[in-house]
């Protein structure tokens, strides 16, 4: 069992109000907030499909349709659990279900399943353009869009774009950090060599 999950279990036993949040590329938006936004959202296509499934008997559905209906039902279940995550209403068992869900499921796959082909095409164009923007510009945009009050108002397609460019920004910042560390390590090596080979002043008179 990983250390993160052990901590999550211990905190769930002590108090279900203690959220355990996995790492995320979004600095100012907690992963559970992002998950809740996407799990709660139903596209027009989904609404029509859910209406279709509600009008049918289980015996009338194909295996593929049963899987699809099960996926929509599961999304609703976890949407409810994410809403109560970190409150007294959330049991120890449900606390761990939410934590495990965040650790093991792909939010990117959920996003892609929710967006229409037109939205995905638009997102692709925007991401392509933003991916070559100067680092400072991208960093400022990400920081602004991640403000909770702004993120809450973002459309789903723009929320998806933000998620992807936040990842790009994270990787860029990580690369910058690695270069700085490597440069510092090299500088320390050079400084060490200079100290090692520098002549020692004579103390004789």
């Amino acid at each position: 069992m990983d250390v993160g999950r052990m901590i999550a279990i211990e905190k769930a036993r002590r108090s279900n109000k203690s959220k355990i949040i996995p790492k995320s590329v979004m600095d100012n938006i907690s992963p559970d907030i992002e998950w809740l936004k996407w799990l709660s959202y139903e596209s027009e296509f989904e609404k029509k499909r859910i209406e279709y499934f509600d009008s049918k008997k289980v015996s009338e559905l194909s295996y593929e349709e049963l899987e699809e209906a099960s996926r929509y039902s599961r999304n609703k279940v976890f949407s409810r659990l994410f809403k109560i995550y970190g409150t007294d209403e959330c049991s120890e068992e449900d606390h761990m279900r939410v934590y495990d869900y965040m650790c093991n499921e792909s939010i990117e796959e959920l996003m892609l399943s929710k967006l229409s082909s037109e939205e995905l095409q638009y997102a692709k164009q925007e991401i392509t353009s933003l991916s070559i923007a100067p680092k400072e510009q991208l960093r400022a945009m990400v920081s602004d869009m991640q403000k909770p009050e702004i993120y809450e108002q973002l459309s789903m397609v723009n929320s998806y774009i933000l998620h992807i460019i936040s990842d790009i920004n994270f990787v860029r910042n990580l690369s910058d950090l690695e270069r700085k560390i490597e440069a510092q390590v090299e500088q320390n090596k050079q400084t060490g060599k200079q100290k090692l080979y520098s002549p020692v002043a004579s103390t004789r008179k």
Side-chain angles (χ1 to χ4, degrees):
M1 184 183 296
D2 65 88
V3 176
R5 195 170 193 281
M6 290 175 64
I7 295 173
I9 291 173
E10 185 59 29
K11 286 201 171 185
R13 286 173 179 168
R14 292 180 181 180
S15 172
N16 295 331
K17 290 183 179 180
S18 299
K19 291 184 181 181
I20 302 297
I21 306 297
K23 292 181 180 179
S24 170
V25 297
M26 304 268 274
D27 293 330
N28 298 319
I29 302 298
S30 178
D32 62 314
I33 299 300
E34 192 176 23
W35 271 110
L36 178 57
K37 181 169 187 172
W38 285 94
L39 286 167
S40 302
Y41 172 65
E42 288 182 353
S43 65
E44 289 304 315
F45 172 78
E46 277 186 280
K47 290 176 182 177
K48 290 178 182 178
R49 292 298 288 170
I50 292 172
E51 288 177 4
Y52 166 77
F53 292 132
D54 288 343
S55 70
K56 297 288 184 178
K57 295 179 180 178
V58 173
S59 59
E60 297 175 325
L61 299 176
S62 67
Y63 177 77
E64 290 76 16
E65 287 177 329
L66 286 171
E67 281 195 327
E68 184 183 354
S70 176
R71 187 167 65 250
Y72 295 142
S73 177
R74 186 167 181 259
N75 285 349
K76 285 186 176 181
V77 169
F78 275 95
S79 174
R80 180 186 66 80
L81 293 180
F82 271 91
K83 285 178 182 176
I84 62 173
Y85 186 52
T87 71
D88 288 333
E89 296 179 57
C90 188
S91 66
E92 179 183 326
E93 179 184 358
D94 287 338
H95 181 101
M96 292 310 304
R97 287 178 71 190
V98 171
Y99 175 79
D100 287 337
Y101 187 93
M102 286 190 285
C103 291
N104 299 318
E105 299 294 327
S106 169
I107 194 168
E108 288 84 6
E109 287 185 10
L110 178 63
M111 292 171 174
L112 293 175
S113 72
K114 296 276 188 177
L115 298 175
S116 67
S117 56
E118 293 80 11
E119 288 173 322
L120 288 173
Q121 186 60 38
Y122 167 76
K124 181 180 177 181
Q125 293 172 351
E126 289 296 304
I127 292 166
T128 300
S129 175
L130 291 169
S131 66
I132 59 176
K135 287 187 294 185
E136 294 75 15
Q137 179 184 337
L138 185 65
R139 187 180 297 119
M141 178 180 292
V142 167
S143 178
D144 188 55
M145 292 176 70
Q146 283 188 13
K147 292 176 181 176
E149 65 274 16
I150 293 180
Y151 179 75
E152 185 179 350
Q153 300 301 320
L154 288 181
S155 66
M156 302 312 291
V157 65
N158 284 331
S159 296
Y160 171 69
I161 292 170
L162 173 61
H163 181 90
I164 300 301
I165 64 173
S166 293
D167 191 24
I168 294 171
N169 183 61
F170 175 80
V171 171
R172 284 185 180 181
N173 289 340
L174 189 61
S175 296
D176 286 346
L177 178 61
E178 288 175 348
R179 282 194 292 270
K180 288 178 181 177
I181 291 173
E182 288 173 2
Q184 188 62 52
V185 168
E186 187 60 31
Q187 182 180 332
N188 290 350
K189 286 181 180 178
Q190 294 301 324
T191 302
K193 287 180 181 179
Q194 290 171 6
K195 288 180 178 178
L196 183 63
Y197 294 112
S198 62
V200 178
S202 175
T203 57
R204 295 180 182 177
K205 294 184 179 179

